[in-house]
Amino acid sequence: MSTIENEPRPAKRRRGRVRPTAETSPHGNDWSSWPEYEKAVLGFRDYWYPLMWAEQVGRKPVPVQLLGEHIVLVREKDEIFALHDRCPHRGVPLSLGRRQYEGTISCPYHGWTYRLDSGEMCAALTDGPESPINNKVSVSTYPVAQRLGLVWVYVGDGDPPPVERDIPDELVDNEFTMGGRWDIREGNWRFAAENGFDEGHAKYLHNTALWRLFKVMPAWNKTRIVEKDGWLIRVQDEVHWEADFPGLGTWTNKRWWKRMPLPDAPGKSADINPVIKSLEIPGFVSIRLPGLLRVAYPHFIHYEWYVPVDEERVRYVQIMVRFESGVRASAFKAKYLAAIRWLFHGQFTGQDAWMVDVMDAPPEKLYRPDLSLTAWRRHIESERPTVQVDRTPGAKR
């Protein structure tokens, strides 16, 4: 059983917006080298996305937004359904509706009633059983799955692949325990994904994080990106713990109270979990489509899903996994609740949220460690996933 928590939605702000593409200028470059990426302001279709904990969805309709589309989640016994959150009659959100009959949801305005499994309008309650519009109207539905204690919704065309395709293999094939939380943050999903895979920021932004209080961070690295099983992985060829800058002094994250650092790849540790060792990951941090980060340590793995809400917000789903059971699993759950939840999934990644919120690009000027960003963008241009445009009935776009 998982240890979980969700965060309240923050007040919406107008910061961290994606600016229109700018021409190359003294202020930096635009994104014209990555046209598919530049268009993907709402993310990519044909993927499964985690939204919230399954236990948070009950009989009462729950409104969510995914890739710019408005969706209502409803539970009927053990099954969760997802429908487009708009009654075709007058455009009223179905998430405000009533559960008048089993297996249905009724619009609060005139009682148009829809089947949860098909989206078919089966009754116009205020026009009687013989209403000529009965069974002639429907709303879009979305495939739903429940895995890892989360609700997954598929946005795409045609029959969806198994949800396991979009879940890391190690979470499908092994027993584990986990803790996690989700929240909605300001800023476009691309900024969140780039921040997660960014090679340079942890050494500076996070050197004030309490999670790093006793951990030594390098001063700088020489890095390359390798691809393995669909993941882009940061591999450190050189790790430098301090550097002398002429006229400035020494830059280092070393402090007398900090313990020795972890190896720069989990497999280099003498004490490593067998499951993590079997993955043979050549670096700590990796990313894959549609926007999933994996940070692998010798004893646990941290995952972050950057789920597009709309152009200016991202749903940030975080879980920490240990491939253990029994007493060790129970000990981890207690540790997660007592410290990790607020140290790592709170204060530490809260620093990332701050940067994603205030980021303002393009234009931009990149430097050597940004090879992780450009590799991610090139990967998207190469794979050419289907860019999302909201095509549901009543959509504004």
Side-chain angles (χ1 to χ4, degrees):
M1 189 173 178
S2 305
T3 303
I4 59 177
E5 180 182 341
N6 68 288
E7 285 291 291
R9 173 173 162 177
K12 187 171 182 179
R13 300 164 62 192
R14 301 296 294 180
R15 302 167 70 177
R17 300 184 62 189
V18 178
R19 299 175 65 181
T21 301
E23 296 180 356
T24 301
S25 72
H27 302 290
N29 298 326
D30 60 21
W31 285 359
S32 60
S33 297
W34 306 283
E36 294 300 307
Y37 190 71
E38 198 276 333
K39 289 187 295 185
V41 64
L42 288 175
F44 303 112
R45 296 179 65 80
D46 303 325
Y47 287 97
W48 289 91
Y49 292 92
L51 293 180
M52 59 179 56
W53 305 113
E55 65 186 30
Q56 294 176 311
V57 181
R59 282 186 55 83
K60 182 179 179 180
V62 179
V64 297
Q65 199 170 355
L66 173 61
L67 278 63
E69 300 193 13
H70 293 272
I71 298 172
V72 56
L73 302 176
V74 184
R75 177 183 291 276
E76 185 70 43
K77 298 179 181 177
D78 293 333
E79 194 169 357
I80 295 175
F81 299 90
L83 297 86
H84 181 51
D85 193 13
R86 182 184 185 274
C87 178
H89 180 207
R90 300 300 304 279
V92 172
L94 290 177
S95 56
L96 300 176
R98 305 175 192 172
R99 300 297 311 283
Q100 197 74 47
Y101 302 103
E102 184 176 350
T104 70
I105 185 170
S106 299
C107 176
Y109 199 12
H110 298 91
W112 285 30
T113 299
Y114 301 87
R115 299 192 187 279
L116 298 179
D117 57 356
S118 66
E120 182 182 55
M121 195 278 280
C122 55
L125 299 182
T126 54
D127 194 28
E130 303 301 324
S131 174
I133 202 170
N134 286 352
N135 302 310
K136 295 181 180 178
V137 176
S138 64
V139 296
S140 301
T141 60
Y142 300 80
V144 179
Q146 299 179 59
R147 298 290 190 279
L148 311 182
L150 292 159
V151 178
W152 298 73
V153 172
Y154 181 82
V155 177
D157 304 300
D159 294 331
V163 65
E164 287 79 11
R165 184 204 67 175
D166 293 331
I167 299 175
D169 291 342
E170 61 268 22
L171 299 183
V172 176
D173 300 334
N174 299 283
E175 184 178 3
F176 61 87
T177 185
M178 60 176 261
R181 69 196 306 173
W182 66 267
D183 60 342
I184 295 178
R185 300 179 174 185
E186 297 298 316
N188 188 256
W189 77 273
R190 292 170 296 183
F191 294 158
E194 289 184 345
N195 172 82
F197 198 47
D198 176 89
E199 198 276 326
H201 82 282
K203 304 173 182 60
Y204 198 80
L205 174 66
H206 291 313
N207 70 358
T208 60
L210 295 176
W211 178 257
R212 296 291 189 189
L213 185 61
F214 300 106
K215 301 182 178 89
V216 182
M217 291 290 294
W220 64 285
N221 297 330
K222 284 190 177 180
T223 304
R224 58 189 167 91
I225 307 299
V226 301
E227 183 170 351
K228 180 182 179 183
D229 300 327
W231 293 93
L232 299 182
I233 307 171
R234 286 190 349 226
V235 177
Q236 312 301 333
D237 289 327
E238 294 183 22
V239 179
H240 299 267
W241 300 102
E242 57 187 18
D244 293 322
F245 289 86
L248 296 175
T250 300
W251 157 245
T252 180
N253 276 306
K254 289 183 177 180
R255 301 294 185 271
W256 65 266
W257 64 84
K258 293 187 181 240
R259 61 177 173 81
M260 290 298 293
L262 292 169
D264 56 4
K268 294 182 179 180
S269 174
D271 179 19
I272 183 173
N273 177 274
V275 173
I276 298 175
K277 183 177 181 179
S278 70
L279 299 177
E280 298 181 345
I281 306 174
F284 267 123
V285 183
S286 47
I287 194 171
R288 81 178 204 189
L289 286 166
L292 167 59
L293 189 79
R294 178 177 65 184
V295 185
Y297 291 83
H299 298 116
F300 66 88
I301 300 182
H302 166 70
Y303 301 88
E304 298 177 359
W305 280 268
Y306 311 110
V307 181
V309 175
D310 53 26
E311 294 184 2
E312 297 181 354
R313 294 177 299 159
V314 55
R315 185 181 295 265
Y316 200 83
V317 180
Q318 308 176 76
I319 64 172
M320 182 178 288
V321 170
R322 292 187 74 108
F323 298 95
E324 294 169 343
S325 59
V327 175
R328 287 181 176 269
S330 298
F332 166 72
K333 292 177 183 178
K335 186 177 180 180
Y336 181 84
L337 288 171
I340 297 173
R341 179 177 59 185
W342 64 274
L343 277 176
F344 189 45
H345 285 166
Q347 193 258 351
F348 182 83
T349 64
Q351 293 179 327
D352 297 314
W354 173 39
M355 289 295 101
V356 172
D357 182 14
V358 301
M359 203 175 302
D360 189 17
E364 61 188 8
K365 284 185 176 288
L366 304 182
Y367 77 144
R368 182 169 60 182
D370 288 328
L371 61 86
S372 55
L373 276 61
T374 55
W376 168 240
R377 296 174 184 179
R378 286 196 304 271
H379 180 69
I380 289 172
E381 296 300 317
S382 174
E383 294 295 318
R384 296 185 68 83
T386 302
V387 172
Q388 162 71 345
V389 176
D390 192 346
R391 296 176 286 183
T392 53
K396 301 298 184 183
R397 294 179 60 84

